[in-house]
Amino acid sequence: LKEVCSAWTSSNSTCPFYVLKMGRFSNTDGPLKFSAVSGARAVLLCWDIDLSSDGRNLVENLAGFALCRKLVRAGGTSSTIDSVEWFGDPRRGHLKETTNLAQLVDPREEELQKDPVERAGWRRALSCAIHDFKWGDYTVEPATEYCYTLYAVYGDASLGIQTATSKGPCMEGPGLHVGTHVELQVSTPELHGGDHEVHFNRGVAGSQRFARLAAGSTELGPRGPEQWQWLSRGLEEAMLHFISQAEGPGWSIHCAFYEAHYVPVLRALAQARQRGAIVSIIVDWKSAAWSDDRKVWTQRGPQHLNYWALTEAGLCDCAIHRTKPLSAISHNKFMVMASPSGNAVSVWTGSTNITAGAIFGHSNVGHVLRDPKICGQYLAYWQELVRDPEKRDFATFNEDTSPLPVGVDTWQQLVLFSPRLRWAEPLAFIAQLILHARQSVAFTAAFGIGRDISPALLEAG
């Protein structure tokens, strides 16, 4: 795992690049090596076996791995200290999530284990041993300390789980049992504050889990606050928290949105204005056109939904209409926070439109940054948007104010704004970033991948 990694988040009109330091933890003392990278709501775990020494013995009859997580120090969580969670791959083994956990305990062992649910946890982990060298834990809480234990699982799966004579899994036998293990202490950072915050929602990756949460319901979508909160995974809360930092007179929020019809966010902006802050919202507002051939109006963009939501929140007088160019949408999704001194102090950006579908359904990210230089660039970009410029004029402005760096390794933080006159050059720059990666490339794309990028991804892979 690298000490630093490069990250790129895109709001389609802005592409900020950063070198970010991650929370890194490792235990490499023995032949079974264990490492982790932590965020506020997720921990990526990976491990390896060193075959140059005693590690050769670890691979004989290896059936997989099991993970155990113990809560050491709680932050904002309501979990009990020393509570234990076991992890196994649900695609493997024969145990189902709907199985009565208490029934998984051998009646002969009830006196040895008073907590049948906890015992079922490790039994399930052994039965569904992980056949990989990595695992993602997406159930952690911010500002919390955990202890992960990685177990190597051995034995014949056809013989079942080896009967234990004490609390916890058995350490030997012909059936499934654990052998070598290694521990790793991991701390998650605070949710808010610092130079950067990155907030992901659940997205479609969590759809199966949500179906289980809603089991027994005849409704097709989420209907309770708990279900909505689970899908948001803190994305909506982070957006509302950002707006709440406009504390009163002198503060200002400069917004640029394509779709802006999720009413709770607009109400939060209205509350900021009630506190005395200045709120300005640039929204995509293309004129509709009548088709004599089809006998219908053709709508260009979401202006009708935007209008209804702005009206409901009492913000129509804050709206600035982006009407040009007619041939393209203004796919902005950012807010710039300015202090009473007039300086831009923070920016909300990322891929999230101000809609229920974007916050709770589609896979999206919100990115808060506080670098003074980049925040100032965002404010200048917003001020140019206010003029409603034509595409060519705006592209010239963007190339002047956010030029490409001379070399791939000559920058720490930069932002590239679109549209641009020479659009192929930024794509070539991204391709070079991919080709210069030394360890890994984590890449996401909402739609297609351009011909300038795909060869670099294939070569890097």
Side-chain angles (χ1 to χ4, degrees), residues 316-351:
C316 280
D317 58 328
C318 298
I320 302 168
H321 298 169
R322 175 68 170 137
T323 64
K324 303 171 185 175
L326 283 176
S327 60
I329 62 176
S330 297
H331 216 189
N332 296 294
K333 314 174 186 70
F334 70 88
M335 296 179 278
V336 182
M337 182 80 65
S339 68
S341 66
N343 296 322
V345 294
S346 59
V347 168
W348 170 280
T349 184
S351 63

Side-chain angles (χ1 to χ4, degrees), residues 363-377:
S363 292
N364 275 311
V365 63
H367 190 164
V368 178
L369 57 102
R370 298 183 177 86
D371 179 80
K373 180 181 177 181
I374 292 182
C375 290
Q377 287 179 283

